[in-house]
Amino acid sequence: MRTIDGTVESSPTGGYLIRFAQTYPTTVEDLWDAITDPARLSRWMAPYEGEFRLGGRWLARYDDGRVFTEGTITACDAPRTFTTTWLAREEQETTITVTVDAVADGAALRLEHDGVGSRDYAPGWHTYLELLELDLAGDVEGTAAFDWDARYAELRGRYPDA
């Protein structure tokens, strides 16, 4: 996997600010579609419902159908950037900002998740970004065989508690 480790720092708003910056060998439009289309998100992250447009509401479900997080798009400039609230069950509301830019070797994605209460979000996002990489490459078999829990457990050591 080409996914580069993210960073975790204390957030000025409380909790942690987690950042990832990745480049993928694809177009801005394809990357934007992969991160905003519920059908594509469902292939590499979780079953999603809703609309990724300004004011749009969305939710994500566990495989058993229970909702684990939901949010509202508070800013959107497609296909370049969006900001959304993220309200996971039994947690405080946080904010995610995603930006997509054209670069010489494809499309760059920057993800910032601000205000999370646990550093454990970092290995989670890292794991999901590895799945996004497989999805963008069209590696259906690799995506299907990916063991999320095992990879997350392996990556936790890269993002230790402060």
Side-chain angles (χ1 to χ4, degrees):
M1 296 284 158
R2 297 172 355 133
T3 301
I4 299 166
D5 288 358
T7 61
V8 181
E9 59 193 69
S10 293
S11 172
T13 61
Y16 297 102
L17 171 60
I18 297 170
R19 291 185 171 120
F20 281 90
Q22 303 298 133
T23 299
Y24 302 98
T26 191
T27 65
V28 165
E29 293 76 17
D30 184 45
L31 181 54
W32 182 262
D33 189 58
I35 63 172
T36 61
D37 177 77
R40 295 248 345 238
L41 279 163
S42 296
R43 291 191 328 220
W44 63 270
M45 192 170 181
Y48 272 80
E49 301 169 20
E51 298 181 291
F52 284 82
R53 60 168 178 74
L54 185 59
R57 298 221 11 96
W58 58 268
L59 58 86
R61 298 181 183 276
Y62 291 110
D63 289 338
D64 67 7
R66 291 177 298 132
V67 173
F68 77 85
T69 189
E70 61 187 286
T72 302
I73 304 296
T74 58
C76 186
D77 180 17
R80 182 164 156 26
T81 186
F82 72 87
T83 300
T84 183
T85 60
W86 174 279
L87 182 57
R89 295 295 175 244
E90 300 178 21
E91 294 184 17
Q92 300 253 0
E93 186 174 85
T94 60
T95 302
I96 297 174
T97 300
V98 179
T99 304
V100 177
D101 290 307
V103 293
D105 52 349
L109 176 131
R110 286 189 322 273
L111 180 144
E112 293 188 354
H113 195 162
D114 192 17
V116 297
S118 171
R119 299 173 71 87
D120 288 341
Y121 268 91
W125 279 117
H126 191 135
T127 303
Y128 283 126
L129 292 175
E130 287 184 358
L131 278 162
L132 172 60
E133 181 181 339
L134 291 171
D135 184 69
L136 287 167
D139 188 347
V140 176
E141 289 179 17
T143 303
F146 194 93
D147 185 336
W148 196 94
D149 292 331
R151 184 63 176 146
Y152 172 84
E154 181 181 334
L155 290 168
R156 280 193 79 207
R158 293 191 191 178
Y159 303 96
D161 289 336

